[in-house]
Amino acid sequence: MAQLQTRWAVLGPGWISRDFVVGLRASEYGMLHAVGSSSAPRAAAFSAEHGAEASGTYDEILARDDVDAVYIGTVHTAHADLAIRSLEAGKAVLCEKPASPTLAEVERILEAAERTQRPFLEAFKTRFGPFAESLRELAAGGELGAPRRFEGAFGFDAGTREGRLFDPAVGGGAILDVGCYPLALAIDLAAAAGQPIAPEYRAFEAELVSGVDGTASAELAFGDLTAGIATSVIENLSHTGVLRFADAEVVLPNVWGSRTESPSTLIVRRGTDERIVELPVVQPMAVEADALSLALAEGRLEVPEMPWAHTRAAARVLTDWRAAALAG
Ligand SMILES: NC(=O)C1=CN([C@@H]2O[C@H](COP(=O)(O)OP(=O)(O)OC[C@H]3O[C@@H](n4cnc5c(N)ncnc54)[C@H](OP(=O)(O)O)[C@@H]3O)[C@@H](O)[C@H]2O)C=CC1
Ligand SMILES: O=C1CO[C@H](CO)[C@@H](O)[C@@H]1O
């Protein structure tokens, strides 16, 4: 196996990239090595703040042979081109969610990963760690039987109606920003339950604000597992998930966790019985970075927690749900 130690470059030194750098410090194999930006001075400032060795424009960073992997932390519409350029420069790619606003762009990225034989991982931090593993085990059947329905809500009031969340030109709106999380979880649960991961669409709803989907919902059927998803960037929603079985339910409080800690608690209810399951907490960005290092060292293109088939399945729904929302 090739060496696991991974020299990372952050591309897009914005808000979430700060959390990623904190995550890297907690990772086993990763270290921040370089920072790239469309603005070299912005890269230099971030690099100085976080102690990277090098900084520069995207092209300068991608041309370096001492960078093994890149983390793409830019706005959604910039993901595909940067991911493809990075793969073509021979780098492994961890790209913030959603991989791209459209399925067509996601296909371009995956084609580049296949062609260059470099790993690509869509950064769904909620897929990693003991909480996510326990959910998969429950969905796979066993003590509670087969799951029948998943409900998940991720929404917050962003306060301002400005910035990337409300800018159609950079892929703003709730569906791409946070609706993708319950969708990615529904796909994960469907796969674990042995159901199809490409759902039938039962209903899409949305309320537009500033030309983007401020609030949206989707009703989906993954074979025998139905899913109801709600999302918003203009109102606070529960941040809770519920997985329902024939005679039991599993409540997932704060299922989307924080940016630096995975969720810790599952509540299993059956009749009047209630069991609280406490799970170890991990730094999810550290774990996802290490998962990519492992793929790179082992010569794999994909990471099992978020395989390309799931990235494609999510992109298909996001594309169609958002198109329906924006069509009014
Ligand atoms: N995993 C998580 O918990 C979270 C994930 N995210 C995801 O992270 C990504 C970035 O979000 P966030 O950090 O809030 O974004 P920011 O608004 O902080 O922007 C990040 C970077 O995007 C680039 N950028 C900004 N505007 C444009 C533009 N018009 N065209 C091209 N590039 C632009 C800039 O990079 P440069 O300096 O190179 O120009 C900027 O530094 C998104 O995919 C988002 O969904 C966000 C929050 C939490
Ligand atoms: O991925 C995300 C997680 O939560 C944030 C809000 O708290 C979002 O804006 C973001 O894009």
Side-chain angles (χ1 to χ4, degrees):
M1 186 162 69
Q3 194 165 338
L4 279 162
Q5 297 309 318
T6 307
R7 295 162 296 181
W8 284 88
V10 162
L11 301 182
W15 186 67
I16 192 60
S17 293
R18 290 172 190 278
D19 286 331
F20 179 70
V21 168
V22 172
L24 268 189
R25 285 191 213 115
S27 72
E28 270 188 72
Y29 312 124
M31 57 165 290
L32 176 66
H33 186 67
V35 181
S37 170
S38 64
S39 147
R42 188 153 60 239
F46 189 97
S47 173
E49 188 181 340
H50 297 284
E53 293 276 315
S55 69
T57 62
Y58 297 139
D59 283 339
E60 285 166 347
I61 296 304
L62 291 176
R64 298 183 70 103
D65 56 16
D66 57 0
V67 168
D68 307 307
V70 302
Y71 168 79
I72 297 177
T74 62
V75 294
H76 306 148
T77 44
H79 288 178
D81 281 350
L82 263 185
I84 293 166
R85 281 160 71 184
S86 303
L87 292 161
E88 287 176 346
K91 314 304 180 196
V93 173
L94 174 61
C95 178
E96 262 308 334
K97 36 58 60 179
S100 268
T102 65
L103 178 58
E105 289 200 324
V106 167
E107 293 293 3
R108 284 178 54 221
I109 297 173
L110 298 181
E111 181 280 322
E114 187 81 55
R115 174 166 41 85
T116 58
Q117 290 291 290
R118 306 315 286 168
F120 173 85
L121 171 60
E122 182 177 20
F124 268 112
K125 62 184 195 286
T126 43
R127 291 274 183 125
F128 294 86
F131 182 87
E133 285 160 21
S134 295
L135 282 181
R136 280 183 207 115
E137 281 167 23
L138 283 167
E143 62 167 316
L144 303 178
R148 298 193 164 177
R149 180 163 177 79
F150 168 70
E151 285 160 11
F154 191 173
F156 64 99
D157 182 350
T160 172
R161 300 293 181 253
E162 293 175 351
R164 74 167 178 85
L165 294 177
F166 295 92
D167 184 353
V170 296
I175 293 172
L176 293 180
D177 195 56
V178 278
C180 57
Y181 283 103
L183 172 65
L185 179 49
I187 290 168
D188 205 9
L189 296 170
Q195 298 297 324
I197 60 169
E200 281 170 35
Y201 305 146
R202 298 266 169 94
F204 287 144
E205 287 187 10
E207 177 191 339
L208 298 188
V209 174
S210 310
V212 303
D213 46 297
T215 288
S217 63
E219 187 58 42
L220 306 168
F222 297 86
D224 296 335
L225 177 71
T226 65
I229 292 172
T231 187
S232 182
V233 287
I234 57 170
E235 67 181 295
N236 293 317
L237 303 180
S238 70
H239 289 208
T240 297
V242 183
L243 186 58
R244 300 189 194 284
F245 298 78
D247 62 358
E249 65 178 27
V250 180
V251 181
L252 323 171
N254 190 24
V255 56
W256 322 119
S258 74
R259 292 190 306 281
T260 50
E261 287 191 348
S262 61
S264 60
T265 311
L266 292 171
I267 304 170
V268 182
R269 291 191 186 130
R270 190 179 227 159
T272 54
D273 282 355
E274 182 171 288
R275 182 163 52 94
I276 296 182
V277 182
E278 292 292 351
L279 295 155
V281 168
V282 294
Q283 209 313 350
M285 288 182 149
V287 181
E288 68 186 1
D290 280 338
L292 191 72
S293 293
L294 210 53
L296 185 58
E298 293 176 356
R300 285 183 284 109
L301 303 185
E302 303 184 46
V303 166
E305 288 87 346
M306 188 67 204
W308 291 359
H310 292 204
T311 285
R312 283 196 171 97
R316 170 182 164 265
V317 179
L318 292 173
T319 304
D320 295 339
W321 186 10
R322 191 157 159 265
L326 298 180

